[in-house]
Each structure stands twice: as C-alpha cells, then as structure tokens.
Amino acid sequence: GTELVLRSALRSFVGHALLEAGDSRAVATLVQARSEGESRGELWWMPETIRLQALAERRFGDAARAAALLDEAESMARRLGAGVVLPRIAASR
C-alpha cells in the first residue's frame, strides 16, 4: 500500500524472523529497515533495529561491527528515552 509509517519497523520484524530462521538475508533486510527509518525520520524503533542488525552482523556478516552497533543502539535508546530496550541491548552483548 501507500502507507509508509510503519514500514521500517515491520521490515525489522521480518529481519528478526529471518535471523531466527538462520537466513543470512537478515543482514540486508535489517540494513534496509534502518535506511528506511532514517530516511523518513522514524527513529522510535531504531534502537531495536540496530540491535537486531548487530546480531545479524555477528552471525552472518562482519562480527567485528556487532559491538559498535550495540553501542550505537544503546546511545540512541538513551537519547530517545527508550529505556525499555536497554536490557535487550545489554543481553545482546
């Protein structure tokens, strides 16, 4: 459809499902989710998207990037006041 408001969040759900299924397409899907959210200024779900991106990179891509992505997710969560995701980020380290 033409509605784009939740597209990046929904795409991150797909990326999470791919990650759980062991599908390496999770990396590209989460990169796309992040890009869409950033381009539209929809940051409310971004800390979780970046956390998932870190997990996907660790599993299928550049494992060295995972720590930096988790740092970024934590910083953004604190800046946005999204404390609910902080324990998930900590558990992902």
Side-chain angles (χ1 to χ4, degrees):
T2 59
E3 184 59 53
L4 301 175
V5 172
L6 293 174
R7 183 174 285 188
S8 67
L10 293 173
R11 195 174 306 279
S12 73
F13 299 159
V14 173
H16 189 190
L18 290 167
L19 180 60
E20 291 296 319
D23 190 324
S24 65
R25 291 179 294 175
V27 174
T29 301
L30 290 161
V31 166
Q32 185 176 4
R34 182 174 181 177
S35 177
E36 287 172 346
E38 289 174 344
S39 71
R40 296 183 51 78
E42 295 178 9
L43 303 180
W44 64 275
W45 192 252
M46 197 58 60
E48 178 66 3
T49 300
I50 296 170
R51 182 189 77 83
L52 292 169
Q53 186 182 11
L55 298 180
E57 286 289 349
R58 182 183 296 150
R59 186 165 181 190
F60 302 113
D62 182 0
R65 286 193 64 217
L69 286 167
L70 290 171
D71 289 344
E72 184 180 357
E74 180 178 353
S75 175
M76 182 176 281
R78 290 187 190 286
R79 189 172 71 248
L80 295 174
V84 70
V85 76
L86 292 173
R88 294 172 62 86
I89 294 167
S92 298
R93 291 193 183 275

